[in-house]
Amino acid sequence: MPGEVTRFAPSPTGLLHLGHAYSAFDAADASGGGRFLLRIEDIDRTRCRPEFATAIEQDLAWLGLDWERPVRRQSEHLSDYQAALSKLDAMGLLYPCVLSRKELAAAFGPDSDDLTVVTDTDRILDHGVYAERLASGQPSALRLRMAQALKRTGPLTWTDDRHGVQTARPERQGDVVLARKETPTSYHLSVTVDDALQGITLVTRGMDLFASTDVHRLLQALLDLPTPRYRHHDLLVDASGTRLAKSHDSPSLRSLRDSGVTPEDVRSRLGHITR
Ligand code: GLU
């Protein structure tokens, strides 16, 4: 086996913490002597900052990781996502969503509710109002017509190395947004396009993104892109069982380093966890 092509794909919205180190080691180890890539997922201009992108590379180097250059920065490749959107649009699978957050919540329930499935938002407003909003040039998101997309592809599956063959059920996520109001792409679209363009053979990432893979599999089928294998690893939790994430004030790798923790300490702290 020549090894896999894997990637670590953080968003530079803050400093890396132990959960990221775990994910990065996992991706690097999974390459098995193949190729390990770094991708900076910086499409969200409101949350991403260049200094965090710089810090990511410094922290990964401190951990002793080595990745292939050049690093792909999503913000420099918007035309690739635009090409994918045009293809989906030509198939009649996209429509503009002009509803505000408030209107969406009123029609479908609050955003935070996992069971919220947004569909056909273009049929909620009176037709004239919808047309008027579109014509006014106010920014709108682009949504995928999920039901039609699935009719086109038929049933789909994907394979996770830890969890076996999965039947994709992207309909559970409704008419997903493929281009945001403020960014001409979305997580789902850019990650799928990039994994294909970069020739990723094994996508490793946390279980928090397990359900997203159903959407990515659908996009691969629609856009004629190859389907890699996947491996979703468990998420790191602290002693109280809370997921380690920036929002929970988990220590950054930088602060651990500054307090005298070594990369070897980090590796051995993370070593006992099942990937
Ligand atoms: N950029 C995503 C994140 O920060 C990860 C994308 C992926 O691995 O598919 O969580």
Side-chain angles (χ1 to χ4, degrees):
M1 266 289 268
E4 304 283 354
V5 185
T6 64
R7 82 323 188 255
F8 175 54
S11 298
T13 55
L15 291 171
L16 299 186
H17 55 79
L18 278 175
H20 292 110
Y22 180 60
S23 221
F25 279 135
D26 190 46
D29 292 351
S31 71
R35 298 167 56 209
F36 169 55
L37 312 182
L38 171 65
R39 184 164 74 226
I40 301 293
E41 304 214 321
D42 58 352
I43 51 170
D44 183 345
R45 276 154 207 252
T46 57
R47 296 177 58 231
C48 295
R49 303 225 307 258
E51 56 272 33
F52 288 133
T54 307
I56 286 171
E57 295 205 47
Q58 290 167 345
D59 290 349
L60 294 178
W62 174 70
L63 287 174
L65 289 168
D66 194 15
W67 55 94
E68 223 177 84
R69 272 66 172 187
V71 170
R72 185 172 171 96
R73 288 167 213 287
Q74 291 189 322
S75 59
E76 294 170 359
H77 297 278
L78 297 182
S79 58
D80 290 331
Y81 316 130
Q82 187 53 57
L85 283 175
S86 302
K87 200 166 169 181
L88 295 169
D89 194 32
M91 296 176 191
L93 295 178
L94 298 181
Y95 68 93
C97 172
V98 295
L99 299 192
S100 65
R101 252 172 207 281
K102 244 188 176 165
E103 287 169 329
L104 285 170
F108 300 100
D111 222 9
S112 53
D113 183 352
D114 275 352
L115 302 173
T116 304
V117 176
V118 171
T119 52
D120 300 328
T121 69
D122 53 334
R123 288 178 207 155
I124 286 175
L125 295 173
D126 169 82
H127 188 73
V129 178
Y130 181 70
E132 210 171 278
R133 284 201 196 176
L134 275 186
S136 77
Q138 87 173 46
S140 52
L142 287 178
R143 287 186 183 273
L144 179 71
R145 285 204 191 282
M146 182 59 78
Q148 269 167 252
L150 279 168
K151 248 185 230 157
R152 238 185 135 103
T153 64
L156 297 166
T157 59
W158 53 273
T159 304
D160 183 285
D161 279 5
R162 295 181 63 219
H163 301 274
V165 177
Q166 306 294 312
T167 300
R169 297 193 207 290
E171 67 277 11
R172 291 188 296 202
Q173 294 173 65
D175 293 354
V176 287
V177 170
L178 293 188
R180 306 199 158 277
K181 272 185 193 164
E182 65 290 350
T183 313
T185 182
S186 67
Y187 162 66
H188 289 313
L189 185 72
S190 39
V191 85
T192 306
V193 167
D194 283 352
D195 283 338
L197 285 179
Q198 294 193 286
I200 305 299
T201 59
L202 176 63
V203 171
T204 63
R205 59 184 172 207
M207 277 304 283
D208 52 331
L209 293 168
F210 195 81
S212 294
T213 305
D214 287 352
V215 176
H216 304 172
R217 179 68 190 92
L218 174 64
L219 292 174
Q220 287 154 6
L222 294 169
L223 294 166
D224 280 327
L225 301 174
T227 303
R229 289 191 347 274
Y230 289 85
R231 198 181 64 223
H232 293 86
H233 60 71
D234 290 337
L235 299 174
L236 283 194
V237 292
D238 65 17
S240 69
T242 308
R243 187 182 154 203
L244 282 195
K246 284 163 272 187
S247 48
H248 300 311
D249 293 331
S250 87
S252 65
L253 293 178
R254 195 148 288 215
S255 67
L256 292 173
R257 181 188 71 189
D258 292 347
S259 65
V261 171
T262 66
E264 294 69 37
D265 295 335
V266 174
R267 262 246 191 222
S268 65
R269 250 207 224 182
L270 299 174
H272 63 282
I273 300 155
T274 337
R275 288 182 181 167

